[in-house]
Amino acid sequence: MIEIVSFDGTTFRPSPERFEAGTPNISGAIGLKAAIDYVNNIGWETIHKKESLLLDHANESLGKNPSIKLVGTAENKVPVVSFTIDSAHPHDIATILDTKGIAVRAGHHCTQPLMKRLGLSATTRASLSFYNTIDEINQLTEALKEISALFES
Amino acid sequence: MEDLSDLYQEIILSHNKRPRNGEPLIPCTHQADGFNPLCGDKLTVYLRKPDEQVDEIACNTEGCAISRASGSIMTSMVQGKTISEIETLIEETKALLTGDEEPEIDLAQHGDMAALVGVRKFPARIKCATLAWHALESALKGEVDATTE
């Protein structure tokens, strides 16, 4: 932040203000408060319970398809589900899911050394959150059934 | 799902499952790698081109169905062609996949590559379809001796 600006020169306020922009990120701060209120209203306990439920269902539902290999099955993990299907490349899986209204990430997830360690070139990853539903996971499972059948045919 | 079946036609799935000329061609006279760091598609194009004609070609691809099929189709089309014929093929393929104007498909001209025209509706995947053709261009430009050992 400046102190005095003229054609002869500029002086700045003392640190730390001199390194700050004049107008703070006001709308950002208001948005952050709204987001915190939103999460607090639902409650961490509820969020955790819902996410555990979704993760369990995803593991069980996807695990029934022998073509799907789940990657990462640690007990206390957040509800992200990475997987591979031998016959179908993750980017093909992601494109097809996208056309069915299901957004996933495909690729090496910025973890190339881990992919190498796992002996994989890429995975597909569904990242769930408390606002997802059991029905949406079932849609994913159904879509993956179609995809593995398509590429295995 | 009409767009999707355009993209994953039987012909694409078949080339993906059993790429033609998919094994490395060693020794060869020309070779180039194609790599897309964003999606991880990786391939190598090998040529045996003693003079103005490509006698043999191979494309070894590690990647998605689109990149594998495109590489496989590319080798089938290029095999036995002269350099000037190949240059025409490259231009026609670029127009087919990335040209501003909606292309008119001519099966006699485009061959199996016509099956890949559906990729135009999936902008994120166009690079998968062009990768092998870019590597072919690089391979034609530079002779290598690394693979003649």
Side-chain angles (χ1 to χ4, degrees):
Chain A
M1 203 182 296
I2 51 85
E3 203 169 49
I4 292 166
V5 178
S6 72
F7 287 110
D8 300 327
T10 302
T11 59
F12 293 92
R13 295 174 63 147
S15 300
E17 282 88 351
R18 72 176 284 138
F19 300 114
E20 299 287 339
T23 306
N25 185 7
I26 296 165
S27 55
I30 292 170
L32 178 62
K33 180 176 186 298
I36 291 169
D37 288 345
Y38 173 70
V39 167
N40 279 339
N41 276 337
I42 298 167
W44 288 107
E45 191 87 354
T46 313
I47 289 173
H48 181 68
K49 234 188 237 164
K50 177 79 189 291
E51 290 189 344
S52 299
L53 201 80
L54 292 172
L55 179 61
D56 288 348
H57 185 72
N59 281 333
E60 195 199 316
S61 179
L62 298 178
K64 278 185 192 149
N65 184 338
S67 300
I68 298 175
K69 292 192 184 109
L70 294 171
V71 179
T73 48
E75 215 157 283
N76 292 312
K77 68 171 206 176
V78 291
V80 293
V81 187
S82 289
F83 57 90
T84 59
I85 296 178
D86 275 347
S87 60
H89 191 277
H91 283 107
D92 296 317
I93 296 172
T95 293
I96 296 175
L97 289 177
D98 182 32
T99 62
K100 294 173 185 291
I102 302 171
V104 294
R105 185 175 173 198
H108 49 58
H109 311 289
C110 304
T111 61
Q112 290 182 34
L114 176 61
M115 290 290 137
K116 200 174 171 201
R117 168 77 170 76
L118 296 171
L120 301 169
S121 61
T123 73
T124 310
R125 186 179 72 198
S127 301
L128 304 167
S129 192
F130 60 86
Y131 43 73
N132 286 114
T133 64
I134 295 285
D135 181 57
E136 285 168 342
I137 294 169
N138 294 341
Q139 285 178 38
L140 172 69
T141 306
E142 270 312 300
L144 291 174
K145 218 178 275 172
E146 286 174 35
I147 291 169
S148 52
L150 176 72
F151 282 89
E152 277 157 25
S153 63
Chain B
M1 276 326 95
E2 198 184 312
D3 286 356
L4 194 63
S5 51
D6 279 357
L7 184 59
Y8 291 100
Q9 291 178 45
E10 216 173 301
I11 195 161
I12 304 293
L13 296 172
S14 154
H15 277 282
N16 172 49
K17 218 170 181 183
R18 286 174 296 277
R20 325 298 190 252
N21 313 302
E23 294 302 316
L25 190 65
I26 297 168
C28 64
T29 59
H30 296 65
Q31 176 182 333
D33 292 330
F35 182 50
N36 184 342
L38 286 180
C39 70
D41 286 346
K42 223 171 6 185
L43 56 81
T44 306
V45 171
Y46 306 84
L47 304 175
R48 280 191 194 141
K49 186 181 82 71
D51 43 43
E52 283 306 289
Q53 183 175 315
V54 170
D55 290 342
E56 279 185 83
I57 176 166
C59 181
N60 184 260
T61 310
E62 190 186 298
C64 65
I66 308 300
S67 64
R68 283 164 65 87
S70 177
S72 169
I73 293 167
M74 183 272 286
T75 62
S76 318
M77 293 176 79
V78 162
Q79 182 115 332
K81 295 270 190 341
T82 64
I83 298 306
S84 72
E85 285 171 329
I86 293 171
E87 280 167 356
T88 309
L89 269 181
I90 291 173
E91 285 317 306
E92 284 170 357
T93 303
K94 279 186 187 165
L96 178 77
L97 299 176
T98 63
D100 289 337
E101 281 173 41
E102 192 69 29
E104 272 186 46
I105 303 293
D106 175 356
L107 285 179
Q109 179 191 9
H110 295 116
D112 279 1
M113 273 311 287
L116 276 164
V117 74
V119 84
R120 292 174 67 95
K121 291 178 193 153
F122 298 85
R125 307 301 303 281
I126 286 174
K127 282 191 171 145
C128 308
T130 56
L131 188 63
W133 292 84
H134 286 302
L136 169 66
E137 271 189 306
S138 315
L140 286 172
K141 274 182 203 152
E143 202 163 330
V144 290
D145 50 14
T147 57
T148 53
E149 57 197 18

PDB file of all heavy atoms in Angstrom, chain B residues 100-115:
ATOM      1  N   ASP B 100     -10.947 -26.007 -39.953  1.00  0.00           N
ATOM      2  CA  ASP B 100     -12.029 -25.124 -39.528  1.00  0.00           C
ATOM      3  C   ASP B 100     -13.371 -25.552 -40.121  1.00  0.00           C
ATOM      4  O   ASP B 100     -14.410 -25.414 -39.504  1.00  0.00           O
ATOM      5  CB  ASP B 100     -11.728 -23.680 -39.944  1.00  0.00           C
ATOM      6  CG  ASP B 100     -10.599 -23.112 -39.097  1.00  0.00           C
ATOM      7  OD1 ASP B 100     -10.400 -23.639 -37.980  1.00  0.00           O
ATOM      8  OD2 ASP B 100      -9.921 -22.180 -39.552  1.00  0.00           O
ATOM      9  N   GLU B 101     -13.302 -26.053 -41.346  1.00  0.00           N
ATOM     10  CA  GLU B 101     -14.549 -26.441 -42.014  1.00  0.00           C
ATOM     11  C   GLU B 101     -14.886 -27.897 -41.746  1.00  0.00           C
ATOM     12  O   GLU B 101     -14.012 -28.752 -41.704  1.00  0.00           O
ATOM     13  CB  GLU B 101     -14.429 -26.214 -43.526  1.00  0.00           C
ATOM     14  CG  GLU B 101     -14.609 -24.766 -43.915  1.00  0.00           C
ATOM     15  CD  GLU B 101     -14.313 -24.537 -45.379  1.00  0.00           C
ATOM     16  OE1 GLU B 101     -14.709 -25.373 -46.204  1.00  0.00           O
ATOM     17  OE2 GLU B 101     -13.664 -23.514 -45.679  1.00  0.00           O
ATOM     18  N   GLU B 102     -16.163 -28.142 -41.558  1.00  0.00           N
ATOM     19  CA  GLU B 102     -16.653 -29.510 -41.378  1.00  0.00           C
ATOM     20  C   GLU B 102     -16.257 -30.318 -42.627  1.00  0.00           C
ATOM     21  O   GLU B 102     -16.608 -29.958 -43.751  1.00  0.00           O
ATOM     22  CB  GLU B 102     -18.180 -29.468 -41.226  1.00  0.00           C
ATOM     23  CG  GLU B 102     -18.815 -30.752 -40.745  1.00  0.00           C
ATOM     24  CD  GLU B 102     -18.466 -31.071 -39.285  1.00  0.00           C
ATOM     25  OE1 GLU B 102     -18.224 -30.136 -38.484  1.00  0.00           O
ATOM     26  OE2 GLU B 102     -18.436 -32.261 -38.962  1.00  0.00           O
ATOM     27  N   PRO B 103     -15.480 -31.391 -42.452  1.00  0.00           N
ATOM     28  CA  PRO B 103     -14.963 -32.084 -43.629  1.00  0.00           C
ATOM     29  C   PRO B 103     -16.025 -32.945 -44.308  1.00  0.00           C
ATOM     30  O   PRO B 103     -16.966 -33.415 -43.664  1.00  0.00           O
ATOM     31  CB  PRO B 103     -13.867 -32.976 -43.045  1.00  0.00           C
ATOM     32  CG  PRO B 103     -14.299 -33.223 -41.641  1.00  0.00           C
ATOM     33  CD  PRO B 103     -15.055 -32.014 -41.197  1.00  0.00           C
ATOM     34  N   GLU B 104     -15.871 -33.101 -45.607  1.00  0.00           N
ATOM     35  CA  GLU B 104     -16.716 -34.056 -46.319  1.00  0.00           C
ATOM     36  C   GLU B 104     -15.963 -35.371 -46.378  1.00  0.00           C
ATOM     37  O   GLU B 104     -14.838 -35.444 -46.874  1.00  0.00           O
ATOM     38  CB  GLU B 104     -17.003 -33.541 -47.731  1.00  0.00           C
ATOM     39  CG  GLU B 104     -18.219 -32.645 -47.777  1.00  0.00           C
ATOM     40  CD  GLU B 104     -18.593 -32.259 -49.195  1.00  0.00           C
ATOM     41  OE1 GLU B 104     -18.613 -33.158 -50.051  1.00  0.00           O
ATOM     42  OE2 GLU B 104     -18.831 -31.060 -49.407  1.00  0.00           O
ATOM     43  N   ILE B 105     -16.584 -36.408 -45.831  1.00  0.00           N
ATOM     44  CA  ILE B 105     -15.896 -37.689 -45.741  1.00  0.00           C
ATOM     45  C   ILE B 105     -15.880 -38.376 -47.096  1.00  0.00           C
ATOM     46  O   ILE B 105     -16.905 -38.516 -47.753  1.00  0.00           O
ATOM     47  CB  ILE B 105     -16.607 -38.611 -44.724  1.00  0.00           C
ATOM     48  CG1 ILE B 105     -16.690 -37.932 -43.361  1.00  0.00           C
ATOM     49  CG2 ILE B 105     -15.898 -39.945 -44.629  1.00  0.00           C
ATOM     50  CD1 ILE B 105     -15.377 -37.717 -42.688  1.00  0.00           C
ATOM     51  N   ASP B 106     -14.685 -38.749 -47.499  1.00  0.00           N
ATOM     52  CA  ASP B 106     -14.521 -39.512 -48.724  1.00  0.00           C
ATOM     53  C   ASP B 106     -13.753 -40.777 -48.348  1.00  0.00           C
ATOM     54  O   ASP B 106     -12.558 -40.731 -48.079  1.00  0.00           O
ATOM     55  CB  ASP B 106     -13.731 -38.660 -49.742  1.00  0.00           C
ATOM     56  CG  ASP B 106     -13.423 -39.435 -51.010  1.00  0.00           C
ATOM     57  OD1 ASP B 106     -13.758 -40.640 -51.074  1.00  0.00           O
ATOM     58  OD2 ASP B 106     -12.845 -38.832 -51.930  1.00  0.00           O
ATOM     59  N   LEU B 107     -14.473 -41.886 -48.292  1.00  0.00           N
ATOM     60  CA  LEU B 107     -13.851 -43.120 -47.784  1.00  0.00           C
ATOM     61  C   LEU B 107     -12.650 -43.536 -48.628  1.00  0.00           C
ATOM     62  O   LEU B 107     -11.670 -44.057 -48.097  1.00  0.00           O
ATOM     63  CB  LEU B 107     -14.881 -44.253 -47.728  1.00  0.00           C
ATOM     64  CG  LEU B 107     -15.885 -44.150 -46.571  1.00  0.00           C
ATOM     65  CD1 LEU B 107     -16.874 -45.293 -46.620  1.00  0.00           C
ATOM     66  CD2 LEU B 107     -15.175 -44.128 -45.222  1.00  0.00           C
ATOM     67  N   ALA B 108     -12.721 -43.276 -49.942  1.00  0.00           N
ATOM     68  CA  ALA B 108     -11.604 -43.645 -50.801  1.00  0.00           C
ATOM     69  C   ALA B 108     -10.365 -42.842 -50.421  1.00  0.00           C
ATOM     70  O   ALA B 108      -9.239 -43.330 -50.474  1.00  0.00           O
ATOM     71  CB  ALA B 108     -11.970 -43.405 -52.253  1.00  0.00           C
ATOM     72  N   GLN B 109     -10.603 -41.600 -50.013  1.00  0.00           N
ATOM     73  CA  GLN B 109      -9.487 -40.710 -49.688  1.00  0.00           C
ATOM     74  C   GLN B 109      -9.039 -40.886 -48.225  1.00  0.00           C
ATOM     75  O   GLN B 109      -7.858 -41.010 -47.945  1.00  0.00           O
ATOM     76  CB  GLN B 109      -9.937 -39.261 -49.923  1.00  0.00           C
ATOM     77  CG  GLN B 109      -8.881 -38.224 -49.602  1.00  0.00           C
ATOM     78  CD  GLN B 109      -9.479 -36.821 -49.593  1.00  0.00           C
ATOM     79  OE1 GLN B 109     -10.692 -36.644 -49.668  1.00  0.00           O
ATOM     80  NE2 GLN B 109      -8.629 -35.837 -49.471  1.00  0.00           N
ATOM     81  N   HIS B 110      -9.990 -40.920 -47.313  1.00  0.00           N
ATOM     82  CA  HIS B 110      -9.644 -40.914 -45.891  1.00  0.00           C
ATOM     83  C   HIS B 110      -9.454 -42.304 -45.298  1.00  0.00           C
ATOM     84  O   HIS B 110      -8.858 -42.447 -44.232  1.00  0.00           O
ATOM     85  CB  HIS B 110     -10.709 -40.156 -45.091  1.00  0.00           C
ATOM     86  CG  HIS B 110     -10.787 -38.702 -45.413  1.00  0.00           C
ATOM     87  ND1 HIS B 110     -11.898 -38.129 -45.968  1.00  0.00           N
ATOM     88  CD2 HIS B 110      -9.868 -37.713 -45.283  1.00  0.00           C
ATOM     89  CE1 HIS B 110     -11.671 -36.825 -46.168  1.00  0.00           C
ATOM     90  NE2 HIS B 110     -10.448 -36.557 -45.754  1.00  0.00           N
ATOM     91  N   GLY B 111      -9.983 -43.319 -45.946  1.00  0.00           N
ATOM     92  CA  GLY B 111      -9.841 -44.682 -45.433  1.00  0.00           C
ATOM     93  C   GLY B 111     -10.395 -44.805 -44.032  1.00  0.00           C
ATOM     94  O   GLY B 111     -11.377 -44.142 -43.674  1.00  0.00           O
ATOM     95  N   ASP B 112      -9.741 -45.637 -43.224  1.00  0.00           N
ATOM     96  CA  ASP B 112     -10.225 -45.858 -41.856  1.00  0.00           C
ATOM     97  C   ASP B 112     -10.144 -44.602 -40.990  1.00  0.00           C
ATOM     98  O   ASP B 112     -10.806 -44.500 -39.960  1.00  0.00           O
ATOM     99  CB  ASP B 112      -9.413 -46.984 -41.180  1.00  0.00           C
ATOM    100  CG  ASP B 112      -9.910 -48.361 -41.609  1.00  0.00           C
ATOM    101  OD1 ASP B 112     -10.849 -48.424 -42.427  1.00  0.00           O
ATOM    102  OD2 ASP B 112      -9.358 -49.361 -41.115  1.00  0.00           O
ATOM    103  N   MET B 113      -9.304 -43.628 -41.386  1.00  0.00           N
ATOM    104  CA  MET B 113      -9.215 -42.390 -40.591  1.00  0.00           C
ATOM    105  C   MET B 113     -10.579 -41.696 -40.518  1.00  0.00           C
ATOM    106  O   MET B 113     -10.851 -40.950 -39.579  1.00  0.00           O
ATOM    107  CB  MET B 113      -8.192 -41.418 -41.193  1.00  0.00           C
ATOM    108  CG  MET B 113      -6.751 -41.611 -40.742  1.00  0.00           C
ATOM    109  SD  MET B 113      -6.503 -41.750 -38.961  1.00  0.00           S
ATOM    110  CE  MET B 113      -6.758 -40.065 -38.439  1.00  0.00           C
ATOM    111  N   ALA B 114     -11.436 -41.943 -41.504  1.00  0.00           N
ATOM    112  CA  ALA B 114     -12.777 -41.348 -41.482  1.00  0.00           C
ATOM    113  C   ALA B 114     -13.501 -41.702 -40.190  1.00  0.00           C
ATOM    114  O   ALA B 114     -14.303 -40.910 -39.676  1.00  0.00           O
ATOM    115  CB  ALA B 114     -13.572 -41.828 -42.687  1.00  0.00           C
ATOM    116  N   ALA B 115     -13.177 -42.871 -39.632  1.00  0.00           N
ATOM    117  CA  ALA B 115     -13.834 -43.307 -38.392  1.00  0.00           C
ATOM    118  C   ALA B 115     -13.466 -42.394 -37.219  1.00  0.00           C
ATOM    119  O   ALA B 115     -14.172 -42.353 -36.211  1.00  0.00           O
ATOM    120  CB  ALA B 115     -13.456 -44.744 -38.078  1.00  0.00           C
TER     121      ALA B 115
END
